[in-house]
Amino acid sequence: MEKLYQLLDGCKWLANVPDSLLSAVAIVVPILLIITVFPGIFAYTTLIERKALGRVQNRYGPNRVGRWGILQPIADGVKLLTKEDIVPRKADKFVHLLAPILAVIPSLLLFAVLPVGPGLVPVDLHIGILFVFAISTASVLALFMGGWASRNKFSLLGAMRAVAQVVSYEVPMVLAAVAVVMAAGTLSTVGIVAKQSGGFLSVTNWFVFQPWGFVGFVLFTIGAMAESARTPFDIPEAESEIIAGYHTEYSGFKFALFQLGEYLAAIAMAGITVTMFLGGYNGPGVGLKYIGPLIGVGWFFAKLMTIILVIIWIRGTWPRIRVDQLMAFAWKVLLPMSILNIVAVGLWHYMESKLWAWLVTAAWLLIWAIVLTKIGTAQNVERRTYRYAT
Amino acid sequence: MNAAFWILSAMSLIGALLAISLRNLVHCVLSLILFFLGIAGHYFLLRADFLGAVQILIYIGAVAVLILFAIMLTRNVTGTEGPRELFGLGWWTGLGTALIVAAVVWVTVDSAPQAATRSPGQAVSSVEQIGKSLLNQWVVPLEVLGVLLTAALIGAVVIALEEVVRRR
C-alpha cells in the first residue's frame, strides 16, 4: 500500500487527479490483483497437481489440450461452466446455493493480510494472524452447510467428518502460531516478516532455523493440510468411503467454487506458513536498491510454490489415515507438542546466550517429540467386534 | 461510518429475529451466525478489532459450530411437530429477563468512567492493553476460569467414558 502511494505520488501527470480517486485506486488495485492472481495460481496448481500425480503414479497426466496440457485448466473451466446445475429435489435450496459462495469468500479474505513483497500487503492489520484464524474457521461453515443442505447421507457424513477434523486440527495450529507470535512480539504479518529479515544472505534469521520454529513449522503445515482437507487428511471427502463427502450433490460451477475455495485456502495457508516460518519475502538480494522488492516477490512465490509442490508430493505418496488415527494424532501428539513448543519459546526468549538457548530448546523438543510419538502411536489393539454384521 | 452502522445494525437485528422465529433449527443457527457477524462488525466499527476477531473466532468458529454439531446429531431438525408457543408464557419470561439484563447493562455502561470520554477514531493497541490487564489486574479471575474450564472438560470426558463402558 505505502509503496503504491509513493509510486503514485512520483508520477507528475497524476498531480491534477483528486486524492479521493487516488485512494480509491489504491484500494481497488490490490483487490483486483488478489482476485486475478491467486485464482490463476489455483488454475495452474490443478494442472501441476495432475501432472505431478501422474509422474508419481507412472503415467502422463493431462497432455492433450495444448502443449504439455497447458490449456487444460481453461478447458476444465469451460466444461464446468457449461455443465447442467443439478439440485436435489429434497435439498434445502437456499442453503445449498449459499454454501459454495461461502466456501470462496473466506479463502479470498485470507489473502488480505499476506505480505507478498516489501511494503506490498493489501492491509497491514495489527491483529493479522488472529484475523487469519478467525476467517479460516468460517470456512468450516460452508462445508457443513453444503453437506447438510444436500439431504444425502454421504454428504452429511462428510460434513460431520469435516467439522470434527477442522475443529480438532485448529487447536495445534493456533498454538503453533502462538509460538511465533511470542517470539516476534507482534500479531501483524508484516511485523513477523520484518523480525525475520537480516542475517547472512537474509536467510539465517528465518524462524524455521530455530528449534521451536522448525517444530512450529511442521505442526502448522500438518494443521494447514488437515484444515484444507488435503490427502492424507482428506477423510471429509474420501472418495472410496463416502463418494465425495460434502460436495457429492454439487455439479457444474458450484462444484468448481467448492474446489476453488479449497485450493485457495490451501494456497493462502501455504502463504501464511511462508510468512510465519520461512521469512516471507526475505531471501538473498532482497535488500538491493531498485530490484530488491521484485526479488522479494519472486522469493515469496518461489517459497509458496515449493510448499504447494511438497503438499502435492505428500498427496501422491501417502495413504489416507483412518478417522480414529486422525483424532488420536491431533489430540495425543500435535496438541501436547505445540504446548511444549510454547514452553521452548519461553526458554529461548529468557536465555541470554542464543547458542545455549538453541541447544537447550532443541534437546527439550527432541526428547518430547520422541516420547510423544512413542505414546501417541502406541495402540492397544483389541479384537474387533462387528456389531451389525451377522 | 453511519451507513456501516445502520447496515450492521439491520443485519444483527434481522439475524436475531430470524434466529428466534424460524422453524428449522439449522436455519436458526445460520441466522444466529448472521447476528454474531453483525456484532463483530460493530466491534470493528468501534476500533476494537481484537474483540471483533475474537468474536468471529469464538462465537462463529467455536460456539456456532458446536451448536451445529449438536443439531446434526438430533433427529427432528425441521420442527414441524409440537405446538407453536412463541407468544405464550415463555414470551413473558423472556421479556422479563431481557428487561433485567437491559437494566444491568444500562447501569454498568452509565457508571463506567471512560466509556463516554474516549473520542471515536482514536486508534489504541487493544491487544497489548487486554494482555497486560489480563495478566496483572485480572490474573486471579483468569486462573479461576481456567480451572473451571478444565474441570468442565474433565467432567465431559468422564461422562463420555461412562457411556462407552456401559454399552459394552
Side-chain angles (χ1 to χ4, degrees):
Chain A
M1 284 291 282
E2 291 301 312
K3 288 274 169 185
L4 203 63
Y5 275 124
Q6 285 168 15
L7 205 73
L8 289 174
D9 279 346
C11 299
K12 288 278 181 254
W13 55 273
L14 281 171
N16 295 326
V17 180
D19 270 355
S20 55
L21 191 67
L22 280 188
S23 54
V25 167
I27 291 170
V28 169
V29 166
I31 295 176
L32 280 181
L33 280 177
I34 286 175
I35 61 174
T36 50
V37 170
F38 288 103
I41 291 181
F42 149 71
Y44 278 91
T45 305
T46 58
L47 178 65
I48 294 170
E49 175 154 18
R50 290 169 70 178
K51 287 298 243 188
L53 283 183
R55 182 89 189 159
V56 170
Q57 294 159 3
N58 203 9
R59 56 186 173 83
Y60 288 117
N63 62 352
R64 291 304 168 107
V65 195
R67 187 147 178 78
W68 310 301
I70 205 134
L71 299 175
Q72 186 70 42
I74 298 165
D76 284 344
V78 171
K79 176 198 148 197
L80 284 169
L81 267 176
T82 51
K83 256 180 113 170
E84 187 189 355
D85 174 35
I86 300 169
V87 181
R89 192 193 300 154
K90 284 270 195 173
D92 194 319
K93 301 275 186 318
F94 184 62
V95 182
H96 191 267
L97 171 73
L98 212 58
I101 301 170
L102 260 183
V104 177
I105 293 172
S107 311
L108 280 173
L109 279 175
L110 285 178
F111 292 105
V113 291
L114 214 55
V116 293
L120 289 173
V121 57
V123 198
D124 179 16
L125 279 182
H126 70 94
I127 49 156
I129 294 297
L130 196 69
F131 174 82
V132 167
F133 288 120
I135 296 300
S136 68
T137 52
S139 64
V140 70
L141 283 176
L143 311 188
F144 170 79
M145 284 162 70
W148 181 82
S150 298
R151 286 280 194 282
N152 174 327
K153 57 189 162 196
F154 297 110
S155 299
L156 194 60
L157 270 176
M160 288 189 72
R161 287 178 172 200
V163 173
Q165 172 174 331
V166 171
V167 168
S168 314
Y169 275 83
E170 182 123 319
V171 180
M173 213 168 117
V174 173
L175 289 176
V178 164
V180 172
V181 170
M182 277 169 71
T186 172
L187 278 165
S188 147
T189 45
V190 177
I192 289 172
V193 173
K195 280 272 174 189
Q196 300 177 72
S197 61
F200 181 66
L201 285 177
S202 304
V203 167
T204 46
N205 281 3
W206 298 359
F207 284 155
V208 74
F209 295 123
Q210 311 291 347
W212 51 267
F214 182 74
V215 171
F217 171 67
V218 174
L219 290 173
F220 193 85
T221 313
I222 293 174
M225 282 175 68
E227 181 135 330
S228 45
R230 304 278 313 173
T231 322
F233 303 107
D234 65 338
I235 62 158
E237 43 193 282
E239 65 273 11
S240 53
E241 300 165 18
I242 50 172
I243 311 178
Y246 52 89
H247 55 61
T248 305
E249 294 290 359
Y250 282 90
S251 62
F253 213 68
K254 286 181 188 167
F255 173 76
L257 282 182
F258 263 120
Q259 291 291 317
L260 177 68
E262 198 173 297
Y263 272 84
L264 280 182
I267 294 170
M269 276 303 162
I272 296 294
T273 315
V274 169
T275 304
M276 288 208 304
F277 299 101
L278 298 179
Y281 49 75
N282 286 309
V286 79
L288 291 179
K289 193 137 190 212
Y290 292 108
I291 51 167
L294 268 182
I295 294 178
V297 174
W299 276 119
F300 179 83
F301 282 103
K303 291 173 194 172
L304 186 71
M305 290 319 286
T306 312
I307 290 195
I308 290 172
L309 278 178
V310 169
I311 290 175
I312 293 171
W313 180 26
I314 291 173
R315 174 178 174 181
T317 45
W318 283 13
R320 181 185 307 132
I321 62 179
R322 259 187 355 239
V323 183
D324 58 327
Q325 290 171 336
L326 183 94
M327 289 298 159
F329 186 54
W331 293 106
K332 290 183 188 166
V333 181
L334 294 184
L335 180 66
M337 199 63 209
S338 56
I339 291 172
L340 293 163
N341 196 29
I342 290 177
V343 176
V345 180
L347 279 177
W348 184 82
H349 184 77
Y350 282 109
M351 280 176 83
E352 287 292 318
S353 156
K354 286 300 174 225
L355 181 69
W356 273 109
W358 202 95
L359 291 174
V360 169
T361 49
W364 162 265
L365 288 170
L366 193 68
I367 291 167
W368 278 111
I370 293 169
V371 170
L372 282 175
T373 32
K374 282 271 187 244
I375 297 174
T377 53
Q379 295 178 339
N380 41 352
V381 182
E382 294 170 27
R383 202 166 156 271
R384 280 198 183 189
T385 49
Y386 297 94
R387 279 200 290 150
Y388 298 111
T390 47
Chain B
M1 167 77 189
N2 249 336
F5 174 78
W6 288 115
I7 292 171
L8 286 170
S9 304
M11 199 169 122
S12 320
L13 281 179
I14 290 171
L17 281 177
L18 285 178
I20 56 167
S21 54
L22 286 175
R23 297 293 286 174
N24 191 320
L25 276 179
V26 174
H27 291 171
C28 290
V29 180
L30 293 177
S31 11
L32 192 67
I33 289 169
L34 188 70
F35 166 71
F36 287 151
L37 256 183
I39 295 297
H42 273 300
Y43 284 141
F44 280 116
L45 211 59
L46 292 170
R47 307 221 163 211
D49 40 7
F50 176 74
L51 214 55
V54 166
Q55 167 87 9
I56 295 178
L57 189 69
I58 292 176
Y59 279 90
I60 297 178
V63 173
V65 168
L66 197 72
I67 298 174
L68 282 176
F69 209 78
I71 287 175
M72 257 199 293
L73 298 172
T74 57
R75 199 167 282 267
N76 188 16
V77 171
T78 47
T80 43
E81 295 160 24
R84 188 166 186 146
E85 276 189 352
L86 192 58
F87 292 97
L89 180 69
W91 196 80
W92 293 106
T93 326
L95 192 69
T97 318
L99 278 178
I100 293 169
V101 171
V104 170
V105 169
W106 178 262
V107 169
T108 319
V109 170
D110 210 38
S111 62
Q114 311 112 316
T117 51
R118 180 168 294 154
S119 62
Q122 187 184 356
V124 281
S125 178
S126 52
V127 189
E128 279 183 28
Q129 280 183 358
I130 290 172
K132 276 179 182 152
S133 54
L134 268 186
L135 286 183
N136 291 321
Q137 197 180 350
W138 305 106
V139 65
V140 177
L142 184 75
E143 295 294 325
V144 170
L145 270 180
V147 171
L148 182 72
L149 287 176
T150 314
L153 201 69
I154 294 171
V157 170
V158 167
I159 291 171
L161 263 184
E162 210 174 347
E163 195 161 333
V164 170
V165 171
R166 217 181 287 150
R167 200 184 283 159
R168 279 200 184 142

